[in-house]
Amino acid sequence: MKSRLFVHFALTALVAASPLTARAAPAAIDEAAAARFFQARDVFDLEFASDPQISPDGRRIVYVRTSFDILSDQPRSNLWAIDADGANHRPLRSDRQRHSSPRWSPDGTRIAYVSGAEGAPQLFVRWMDSGQTALVTDLTESPGDLAWSPDGRWLAFTMFAPRAKEPFVTPPPAPEGATWAPPFTVIDTVTYRVDGAGYLKSGFTHVFVVPADGGAARQLTHGDFDDAGPLSFRPDGRTLLFAGNRAADWELDGVESEVFAVDVESGALAQLTSRNGPDYNPVFSPDGKRIAYLGFDDREQSHQATRLYLMNGDGSEPREVILHFDEDVFDPRWAAYGRSLYFMHDERGVRKISNVALDGRTRAVASALGGEDLGRPYTSGSYSLSRSGALAFTVGSAQRPADVAVISGGAARTLTQLNEDLLAHKRLGAVAELNWQSSHDGREIQGWLVTPPDFDAAKKYPLILEIHGGPHAAYGPNYSTEIQRYAAAGYVVLYANPRGSTSYGEAFANLIHHAFPGHDYDDLMTGVDAAIEQGFVDEQNLFVTGGSGGGILTAWIVGKTNRFRAAVAAKPIINWTSFALTSDFTNFFHRYWFASRPWENRDEYWRRSPLSLAGKVTTPTMLMTGEADYRTPISEAEQFYQALKLRKIDTLLVRVPEASHELVGRPSQLIAKTDHIVAWFEKYRTTAKEAAK
């Protein structure tokens, strides 16, 4: 088995006690030395950029700057502006409210945005020369997918439209002064609760328009269907594109969608696509003659790469643009004269921007997008394009969250340094690429090793294997608060993209089709072996954790091997049968992740369930899930917890109040998650003396 380590670790003699470490420390802790490491309180001082919107002339960028309010324990998003040359960096809206979705008017004189400054989120327009701001709407629900009409007169958006249901029964009225129990709730929909939103209200999301200088919003689409953006106007402003599934059985098909055109004046609908598979994210060309959009032919695989397509403005002659391109395509945007398209894609854990001519010739434009996920090192990023051809995008690294960068007639330039005031004075863990060949089939697997900030290659360090979720997702050389805190606590951290991960092509992702978990276990175990081969990992102190898809793999691993001293499975799937019937998207998982429904093939659901291995577990295992998690409901973790308790295996069940599947949506939750994990690992970590006994 071969391994390759691609970045030399810096050696230093500095030794300092980590604020996370639960082991006994000297009575007098060197506070000055400890302050050089990333500490729990530092989470509140982090910031990151997202959604950078460059003006039509390419001279100015407005972006969302997210920070954290230590008093409310909530993220705070404000709008900032900066010139494309890096000058005039200043706030446009900066307070304790949440401001988002800035969008330039076609002539570059105004920006529209969404803000909660006046209570419920509303649409605002700001005149950039004077700073005057107008409240445009008086909405009862949150607007999304904001788009300007080409003449700047209208703003289009999507919004949930409540619809009252006829009561199933009509009980007798309560007598005056009586206090009766609340009425029953009757559910008759397939998807009745969604993670992060809770139990759904009756109604549907539709397309609206409102005058850009304020007035009454007008609903363009109707019916018992959900319509979705992004929205795109034809250059004459008469037609608006959106996506949705308006088939009779739409509730049972969690993937299908088509591209629709709606006449802005009359509301007349035209369906432009009709294949079996999702078609979405339509964008009119600058001349209105063509439409770019995303989608794929549905083969009911667990992962299907999203492709880029073109069709005529009336929906005729659809064709794939980039033949033999094997990576998911995100967020297509037309170049100014309609001769090419820009798009984002992930390649070997790195998010990039590329350009494709209409004949399919493709070239790379920008790399190293990321840093918009502060918790774990997932791929992320966003960008925008000006009529002048200038690009604004978010750029990150393993050492820094997202900043704003620009390409305008030359090489990329980073314009902001949002975290230098904090991180320039911190010693962070070094991140190095590590590749190895899987013991299962020799396939190359990519990963990264993170070493403690006081790293000394002559010493031995405990190792944490940290596994990403999805499972069709990707880690990369991106900033991660959780992993940096593990490193600050004195651990080497290994994270990887085993088979099933995206950014390595559709075939690699589908190696776990109807086989998850499976040989991704072998990929990860070989990765641990490769880390040990580097010479500085203590084989007696191996630990494992992961969330969601990484949670199920963690629970699977402790049922397969006892090489880890302790484990933490966050928001796991434990029993595929119960998960498939209680998760928020029951119309998806049984169809794409299995070949049949649970009652049609009980043995297959059980074979792939970590609960089937509970009788073999000897590893102390903590379970952690949000109490409002409707993606992998907390009952999944509870099943494994009870099974291990019955077997007298040391285990803890950690419930995170109010948390959805995101688990760490508030800064204090991010701190508490890593604190609990490190405390559990420290409980079972052995010293050299203990190991010798």
Side-chain angles (χ1 to χ4, degrees):
M1 187 277 298
K2 298 179 180 179
S3 64
R4 301 196 305 274
L5 191 59
F6 278 96
V7 174
H8 292 294
F9 294 111
L11 303 182
T12 175
L14 175 64
V15 178
S18 164
L20 273 179
T21 303
R23 290 194 159 273
I29 297 177
D30 186 344
E31 294 184 3
R36 298 176 187 173
F37 295 94
F38 193 91
Q39 302 178 76
R41 184 69 172 262
D42 294 331
V43 171
F44 285 97
D45 293 325
L46 289 169
E47 298 183 83
F48 67 93
S50 63
D51 199 8
Q53 296 294 311
I54 193 164
S55 60
D57 63 8
R59 295 180 179 178
R60 204 171 190 200
I61 299 161
V62 176
Y63 71 96
V64 178
R65 182 170 176 171
T66 299
S67 56
F68 301 101
D69 188 334
I70 198 169
L71 296 180
S72 66
D73 187 29
Q74 293 284 358
R76 182 173 61 214
S77 56
N78 290 306
L79 301 183
W80 281 65
I82 189 169
D83 291 348
D85 63 2
N88 296 317
H89 191 203
R90 61 186 63 178
L92 297 183
R93 292 298 305 266
S94 184
D95 50 44
R96 292 184 181 273
Q97 302 296 329
R98 292 190 180 186
H99 313 286
S100 62
S101 303
R103 296 294 180 268
W104 288 92
S105 63
D107 63 3
T109 62
R110 295 164 289 171
I111 61 164
Y113 61 94
V114 177
S115 176
E118 303 291 335
Q122 302 292 335
L123 292 179
F124 290 77
V125 169
R126 178 188 177 98
W127 278 257
M128 297 301 287
D129 58 351
S130 66
Q132 291 177 305
T133 301
L135 172 64
V136 174
T137 57
D138 185 16
L139 306 174
T140 58
E141 303 287 341
S142 300
D145 300 308
L146 187 60
W148 284 88
S149 66
D151 60 6
R153 294 178 55 201
W154 298 90
L155 288 165
F157 59 95
T158 58
M159 186 177 69
F160 178 77
R163 175 175 294 185
K165 281 186 177 180
E166 290 293 326
F168 185 68
V169 298
T170 304
E176 184 177 353
T179 303
W180 286 14
F184 289 7
T185 299
V186 177
I187 294 171
D188 61 1
T189 57
V190 175
T191 301
Y192 57 89
R193 63 182 183 182
V194 172
D195 187 70
Y199 283 81
L200 301 178
K201 297 185 294 184
S202 177
F204 298 90
T205 297
H206 287 299
V207 179
F208 294 76
V209 291
V210 66
D213 55 2
R218 178 165 57 94
Q219 186 172 336
L220 290 184
T221 63
H222 301 80
D224 293 347
F225 313 98
D226 286 314
D227 302 319
L231 306 175
S232 177
F233 277 97
R234 191 190 297 271
D236 62 11
R238 297 177 181 177
T239 304
L240 194 60
L241 297 176
F242 67 94
N245 185 349
R246 289 175 162 255
D249 63 347
W250 65 269
E251 276 199 286
L252 295 173
D253 196 335
V255 167
E256 182 68 23
S257 64
E258 307 294 351
V259 173
F260 291 85
V262 58
D263 185 275
V264 175
E265 183 62 31
S266 68
L269 286 180
Q271 182 175 325
L272 303 183
T273 60
S274 59
R275 68 164 162 189
N276 179 31
D279 295 309
Y280 62 100
N281 202 154
V283 188
F284 270 120
S285 63
D287 61 7
K289 295 181 179 180
R290 287 165 293 191
I291 298 170
Y293 62 104
L294 302 178
F296 55 80
D297 294 308
D298 189 3
R299 292 160 287 158
E300 297 192 2
Q301 293 179 323
S302 61
H303 175 74
Q304 299 173 90
T306 301
R307 313 295 188 184
L308 176 63
Y309 294 86
L310 276 182
M311 61 183 169
N312 293 332
D314 61 1
S316 63
E317 299 183 17
R319 66 179 178 88
E320 188 174 347
V321 180
I322 323 173
L323 298 177
H324 312 300
F325 191 78
D326 201 25
E327 298 165 11
D328 289 295
V329 174
F330 311 111
D331 199 4
R333 297 173 185 263
W334 285 92
Y337 298 105
R339 297 170 183 167
S340 65
L341 287 147
Y342 290 83
F343 62 93
M344 290 191 296
H345 59 103
D346 292 343
E347 182 179 341
R348 293 186 61 81
V350 176
R351 180 148 297 180
K352 300 181 177 182
I353 301 173
S354 288
N355 174 272
V356 58
L358 300 190
D359 62 5
R361 289 175 297 158
T362 305
R363 62 181 176 87
V365 175
S367 187
L369 278 73
E372 295 184 19
D373 187 327
L374 293 187
R376 294 190 281 165
Y378 284 108
T379 57
S380 62
S382 49
Y383 81 110
S384 64
L385 177 68
S386 75
R387 284 199 298 263
S388 68
L391 282 164
F393 58 99
T394 54
V395 62
S397 71
Q399 303 292 312
R400 295 292 185 272
D403 280 296
V404 177
V406 67
I407 297 177
S408 181
R413 291 179 293 116
T414 301
L415 304 182
T416 62
Q417 292 183 312
L418 300 184
N419 291 282
E420 288 309 292
D421 55 338
L422 171 67
L423 298 182
H425 305 287
K426 300 287 182 180
R427 293 177 56 83
L428 299 180
V431 180
E433 185 177 340
L434 179 69
N435 293 280
W436 60 89
Q437 284 71 49
S438 172
S439 62
H440 171 63
D441 56 8
R443 194 177 302 270
E444 183 179 75
I445 306 298
Q446 184 183 30
W448 291 265
L449 266 182
V450 186
T451 48
D454 60 348
F455 177 66
D456 181 346
K459 295 182 178 180
K460 296 284 189 178
Y461 294 87
L463 174 112
I464 296 175
L465 170 63
E466 210 285 338
I467 311 170
H468 74 62
H472 299 304
Y475 276 166
N478 302 311
Y479 176 82
S480 166
T481 297
E482 293 183 31
I483 286 174
Q484 286 296 337
R485 292 201 69 209
Y486 299 147
Y491 289 81
V492 168
V493 184
L494 172 66
Y495 64 90
N497 287 331
R499 66 191 64 216
S501 301
T502 54
S503 78
Y504 304 88
E506 186 176 80
F508 185 85
N510 274 309
L511 290 173
I512 63 168
H513 178 57
H514 293 175
F516 172 68
H519 292 302
D520 37 6
Y521 166 85
D522 301 301
D523 300 344
L524 294 169
M525 294 305 98
T526 317
V528 172
D529 295 337
I532 292 171
E533 284 184 4
Q534 305 308 311
F536 46 77
V537 170
D538 180 359
E539 294 186 60
Q540 303 304 312
N541 282 292
L542 305 179
F543 303 89
V544 59
T545 184
S548 193
I552 185 174
L553 273 167
T554 298
W556 187 259
I557 285 168
V558 297
K560 291 281 190 178
T561 179
N562 62 1
R563 73 185 302 189
F564 296 95
R565 295 198 62 82
V568 178
K571 47 191 180 182
I573 299 167
I574 296 300
N575 182 339
W576 279 109
T577 295
S578 57
F579 165 77
L581 297 175
T582 59
S583 181
D584 52 356
F585 293 132
T586 56
N587 59 358
F588 174 82
F589 294 112
H590 78 273
R591 180 174 173 183
Y592 292 90
W593 287 11
F594 286 85
S596 56
R597 296 181 177 94
W599 55 89
E600 296 169 341
N601 194 345
R602 293 174 298 174
D603 291 344
E604 178 64 10
Y605 278 75
W606 181 247
R607 182 186 69 81
R608 289 164 52 187
S609 296
L611 190 58
S612 70
L613 303 176
K616 300 179 179 179
V617 176
T618 60
T619 304
T621 302
M622 174 189 287
L623 288 305
M624 182 185 300
T625 307
E627 292 182 352
D629 187 338
Y630 298 131
R631 184 65 42 77
T632 56
I634 198 168
S635 57
E636 292 296 304
E638 289 171 337
Q639 291 179 67
F640 210 57
Y641 170 76
Q642 293 286 29
L644 298 187
K645 277 294 185 183
L646 291 174
R647 293 195 55 246
K648 300 181 180 180
I649 304 300
D650 197 10
T651 181
L652 290 179
L653 177 64
V654 179
R655 302 171 62 98
V656 184
E658 302 176 356
S660 66
H661 192 65
E662 184 182 5
L663 196 62
V664 292
R666 304 176 70 173
S668 67
Q669 292 170 333
L670 179 57
I671 293 169
K673 177 189 176 185
T674 49
D675 280 352
H676 278 78
I677 290 173
V678 171
W680 184 248
F681 291 166
E682 286 293 308
K683 178 180 178 181
Y684 290 98
R685 179 178 166 187
T686 62
T687 64
K689 289 183 179 179
E690 291 168 339
K693 290 181 179 179

